[in-house]
Amino acid sequence: MLTGGETYRSNGDPFSGGTPTSNEWDRIITNESNFSGLPKPSTSDLDTNKDENDMNSVHNKFWNWYYIYSFCQEAFDKDNNKRPVRGYHSARYLDWSSPSGYGVSTGWRPVLEILNSIPTLTLSTQNNITLSEGNILPITGSASDTDNGDVVTVKYKINSGTIRNITSGVVNGTPLSFAKNLTFSGKRLRDGSTEVTVDLAENVDHTLTVWAEDDKGGKSAEVTRKFRVIHNRPPVISGTNEDLGTIQAIPSKTYTVTEPEGDAFTVTEKIDGKVIRSFAGVAGQENTITIPHDMWIRLQPGVQHTLAVEATDSKGMTSSRTYTFVRQETKLEFKLKNPFVTDIAAKSCHPRCGGPKRSDNENRSMQQRL
């Protein structure tokens, strides 16, 4: 028997048709699927008036629904012991009746269905892969159908998301190959510029489901693959944070930086938050951080200082490596801003240094020589 819907399409209105709308009565008898060669009901065939216009209509003469109920196969949702009946009052009318309620105006309409082979699908995508920023989730494989001439469509969904088409084609004995690459970026999978998922959580299984459908309602078994995602990770700086203790000499540390997603990154070296230098990083390249002499001599002795390396990728993720130390001062160091060269030996010191006092003439002569 035909399917006719489990209840009214519009609440409480038997003239509105059946739901789900994929039922065969509405798809075929009232021709909502626009089948070629089948009549479509007129307005009078669908209204609430049961009159001679209905009896003599082209649609009724083809299907004979006027004053005739046809049983359908579902259980009626308001009473599982009842079955929907269609027709009688209009081409779309829906009522219900006991399965034993057949009679002169209530019967069943036989359906002859052409046997249809369902498609089969092979999925080449690996199971349990992990995607990080910029990685590709490939959906590849092939679909087959022994019914040559059928139109087969390959579909997929991620978790319980929107169903999307991968490809379709007319089968002719050769498997229908398919391939689609989804890119993981910004916590979502994208088909080109189209987002096909919401944000995907880290460290949980996500499901790719792929199947094939033919144009006769046949559907292959669903094939699934599990995958996980890792959100964008910061660059990795070698070594560990370290306390260098109390030191007298300028410290230097060698390090390398790698970027898990292969993104471009910038390296910045600092002493107590002041930038020493900043440069475009090269993954795996050995670098050395040290303190320029003019910055070193200005560091206050006896307090802790922080020498730091920061690496920031092109998406804004940052990591750092820090080295702490205390500078120990053991001598005083003087450095002239503008050094000069002289071959004149010093003969005396300023009185504050404890040397003999020079005369004014000697001081002027010394200044002139300097």
Side-chain angles (χ1 to χ4, degrees):
M1 291 189 295
L2 290 166
T3 58
E6 298 171 359
T7 189
Y8 307 129
R9 185 176 301 180
S10 180
N11 188 32
D13 182 5
F15 289 89
S16 63
T19 187
T21 57
S22 59
N23 73 82
E24 292 170 322
W25 183 277
D26 287 316
R27 288 181 58 242
I28 301 170
I29 306 299
T30 60
N31 202 8
E32 292 180 355
S33 292
N34 295 312
F35 287 107
S36 177
L38 296 183
K40 292 183 72 71
S42 66
T43 301
S44 63
D45 292 324
L46 300 175
D47 62 22
T48 59
N49 297 320
K50 189 162 73 268
D51 51 29
E52 288 187 3
N53 290 329
D54 297 340
M55 181 177 67
N56 296 320
S57 72
V58 173
H59 191 264
N60 179 63
K61 287 181 177 180
F62 192 95
W63 290 114
N64 192 32
W65 50 262
Y66 179 74
Y67 270 103
I68 297 294
Y69 277 125
S70 294
F71 272 113
C72 296
Q73 63 177 263
E74 300 97 331
F76 193 67
D77 76 335
K78 300 184 186 306
D79 186 342
N80 287 336
N81 295 318
K82 303 295 175 61
R83 296 293 181 266
V85 289
R86 302 296 300 266
Y88 196 93
H89 293 286
S90 82
R92 191 181 282 160
Y93 192 82
L94 185 151
D95 206 341
W96 68 94
S97 177
S98 168
S100 61
Y102 54 86
V104 66
S105 62
T106 306
W108 60 280
R109 187 179 298 265
V111 177
L112 175 63
E113 293 183 339
I114 300 174
L115 295 178
N116 177 49
S117 298
I118 64 173
T120 58
L121 182 133
T122 300
L123 184 62
S124 304
T125 303
Q126 293 183 354
N127 200 26
N128 296 319
I129 64 176
T130 298
L131 304 174
S132 58
E133 185 74 16
N135 286 169
I136 300 296
L137 175 64
I139 309 176
T140 58
S142 62
S144 301
D145 195 318
T146 58
D147 298 323
N148 286 346
D150 281 6
V151 178
V152 173
T153 302
V154 181
K155 303 185 176 187
Y156 79 98
K157 65 179 180 179
I158 304 296
N159 298 328
S160 58
T162 302
I163 296 173
R164 301 175 186 274
N165 292 345
I166 298 177
T167 191
S168 64
V170 178
V171 294
N172 56 9
T174 302
L176 178 66
S177 297
F178 60 88
K180 180 172 287 294
N181 288 331
L182 303 181
T183 303
F184 179 66
S185 175
K187 302 181 182 180
R188 300 185 176 192
L189 282 173
R190 292 173 164 81
D191 180 6
S193 60
T194 302
E195 295 180 346
V196 298
T197 68
V198 296
D199 287 358
L200 298 176
E202 287 187 294
N203 302 318
V204 298
D205 285 338
H206 300 283
T207 304
L208 164 68
T209 305
V210 186
W211 69 94
E213 297 180 4
D214 64 25
D215 57 343
K216 295 184 176 68
K219 178 182 176 181
S220 73
E222 294 183 347
V223 183
T224 62
R225 294 288 187 268
K226 299 292 185 182
F227 66 94
R228 292 192 170 201
V229 300
I230 299 174
H231 297 167
N232 185 38
R233 294 167 292 181
V236 177
I237 305 173
S238 63
T240 59
N241 296 338
E242 188 178 349
D243 184 1
L244 305 178
T246 301
I247 58 177
Q248 297 179 8
I250 298 175
S252 64
K253 297 294 293 186
T254 300
Y255 64 92
T256 59
V257 182
T258 56
E259 218 296 316
E261 282 72 55
D263 293 335
F265 62 92
T266 300
V267 178
T268 303
E269 298 173 348
K270 298 179 179 181
I271 176 66
D272 292 340
K274 296 179 180 179
V275 176
I276 299 173
R277 63 171 179 158
S278 184
F279 56 93
V282 177
Q285 177 177 284
E286 190 173 84
N287 304 297
T288 300
I289 182 174
T290 189
I291 305 173
H293 186 271
D294 60 340
M295 298 182 79
W296 167 255
I297 62 175
R298 287 174 172 80
L299 295 181
Q300 183 178 351
V303 299
Q304 189 176 71
H305 301 280
T306 300
L307 188 62
V309 177
E310 293 180 355
T312 304
D313 69 17
S314 57
K315 297 181 178 65
M317 294 291 286
T318 299
S319 60
S320 64
R321 178 73 59 235
T322 60
Y323 311 98
T324 56
F325 64 90
V326 173
R327 180 188 175 200
Q328 180 181 9
E329 188 64 79
T330 58
K331 62 181 180 179
L332 292 175
E333 180 178 349
F334 295 92
K335 187 174 182 180
L336 293 176
K337 184 175 181 181
N338 298 304
F340 60 86
V341 178
T342 179
D343 56 0
I344 300 175
K347 296 181 179 180
S348 63
C349 293
H350 192 276
R352 291 181 181 176
C353 297
K357 183 176 181 181
R358 295 191 299 268
S359 68
D360 291 341
N361 289 334
E362 288 176 324
N363 285 334
R364 282 194 293 271
S365 177
M366 174 68 73
Q367 290 171 359
Q368 289 171 357
R369 290 197 299 274
L370 292 178

